[in-house]
Amino acid sequence: MAEILQKDGTWAFDGDALRLTPGRDRNISVLRQTLGELRVPLRALAGISFEQGKRAGRLRLRLREGADPLLHATGGRLTEPHDPYQLLVEPDRYGVAEYVVDEVRGALLLEEVPPGPVKEYLLPGPSVPLSVSAGDGTASFDGERVRLEWNWKTEDAKAATGVRTLELADITGVEWVPAAGLENGHLRLTVRGAPSSAPPKYDPNAVELWGFKKDPLMALVAAAVQARLPHPSAPVAGDGPRESAAPPARPAPSAAEDEHDALLRRLRELGELHRSGVLTDEEFTQAKQAVLNRM
């Protein structure tokens, strides 16, 4: 197992998945603390990198497009303090970070995980029930319906609509946007048959956000709803059955082809790819070592 323990959190890779556990330091963002441990399967990864810095380095995961409902719902707008797929690394652990990168990259090569988009969510999204109070309201989600309640800071016209209960079947989309500069953010639910052109300040299906500490938690509500909506790549009704994102099944090996023989064949394949120039020296060394470790 490849593992790195830091104040910012712990990343552990067992060959099949990465477990990302946020640290307990008081500087850890409330979003990461609430989200808790994440299990990221290998096939959800598009890559991993490590960047050294003068005071600290940074490990970064790159997920395949469409693999995570949190990333889809937030549109890549999660900044560094709240991004669960980044880890601050202290200078004396740079070697460990590079080892983790080598192990994950070797496994991606060995398992031939493609970096392209997927057609189903490979992470489950935040657990429910979930309730967050921020900005001008409270959003709660139990897995079947979203409840929106307003507070004393809500505009009168929006507050007059009363408590909103939206069935999941009526929700066609969800979006979280953080406050930036003089622009407020929002959590907005797109509801079938309801216009969504009004600013979040007046939209009864949106919570307006002003850039306070709990604003990022609304991203968890957005992700929990998104995880239960049809995947963005799913065909619309009438276009036929939904296509599975799982890779095509490989034929089962015969009795004479045990795992050791399969690994030997993989070594020969890697050698051919290296000789033909498909794999660089570094990639070949990493992939070969990953095979040898399994043997």
Side-chain angles (χ1 to χ4, degrees):
M1 174 182 287
E3 184 178 48
I4 181 168
L5 290 78
Q6 294 291 275
K7 291 180 181 179
D8 195 40
T10 299
W11 285 15
F13 179 58
D14 61 8
D16 295 319
L18 264 165
R19 291 190 178 275
L20 316 180
T21 307
R24 297 183 179 181
D25 190 87
R26 63 181 180 179
N27 294 323
I28 305 301
S29 82
V30 64
L31 182 147
R32 290 179 60 203
Q33 291 176 355
T34 305
L35 189 58
E37 183 180 276
L38 285 176
R39 182 183 183 277
V40 184
L42 184 66
R43 68 189 184 102
L45 293 180
I48 182 172
S49 63
F50 174 62
E51 304 163 4
Q52 294 189 12
K54 291 182 178 180
R55 295 185 178 181
R58 194 181 303 278
L59 273 170
R60 299 178 189 268
L61 284 184
R62 185 164 56 91
L63 272 63
R64 299 171 66 187
E65 183 182 345
D68 181 21
L70 174 62
L71 293 183
H72 183 78
T74 57
R77 299 182 184 95
L78 284 177
T79 55
E80 177 271 319
H82 313 297
D83 188 345
Y85 303 116
Q86 297 188 33
L87 180 72
L88 290 177
V89 179
E90 297 164 15
D92 62 344
R93 311 307 281 174
Y94 283 1
V96 180
E98 290 170 347
Y99 171 69
V100 171
V101 169
D102 288 344
E103 289 293 296
V104 174
R105 286 180 176 173
L108 288 171
L109 281 170
L110 181 63
E111 297 297 330
E112 300 178 336
V113 177
V118 297
K119 297 182 179 179
E120 66 178 357
Y121 292 123
L122 302 180
L123 281 84
S127 58
V128 293
L130 184 62
S131 182
V132 175
S133 296
D136 67 352
T138 298
S140 306
F141 181 52
D142 62 5
E144 296 180 358
R145 57 191 61 84
V146 177
R147 181 182 174 90
L148 300 177
E149 302 175 76
W150 313 117
N151 56 39
W152 64 273
K153 294 170 284 187
T154 310
E155 282 290 321
D156 291 343
K158 187 159 95 172
T161 64
V163 176
R164 302 279 292 167
T165 300
L166 306 174
E167 298 292 333
L168 184 62
D170 295 327
I171 298 174
T172 59
V174 60
E175 177 188 56
W176 173 84
V177 175
L182 299 178
E183 297 292 327
N184 292 335
H186 63 264
L187 168 75
R188 190 195 297 273
L189 299 157
T190 305
V191 180
R192 186 176 289 106
S196 58
S197 57
K201 185 177 184 177
Y202 303 105
D203 187 348
N205 297 322
V207 177
E208 187 178 35
L209 305 173
W210 299 313
F212 297 140
K213 183 178 179 180
K214 289 189 177 180
D215 282 12
L217 292 179
M218 283 292 181
L220 300 183
V221 177
V225 174
Q226 185 66 57
R228 291 160 178 81
L229 295 177
H231 192 272
S233 67
V236 296
D239 284 352
R242 182 176 176 175
E243 184 180 348
S244 172
R250 299 179 181 178
S254 65
E257 294 178 328
D258 59 14
E259 182 180 4
H260 187 268
D261 290 338
L263 292 173
L264 287 176
R265 289 198 305 276
R266 181 59 180 155
L267 279 175
R268 289 194 292 270
E269 292 173 359
L270 290 173
E272 293 172 359
L273 291 172
H274 181 231
R275 285 190 294 273
S276 63
V278 175
L279 293 179
T280 65
D281 292 344
E282 181 183 0
E283 291 170 336
F284 172 67
T285 301
Q286 290 176 2
K288 182 179 72 172
Q289 189 59 52
V291 175
L292 293 177
N293 288 343
R294 292 202 171 193
M295 293 178 69

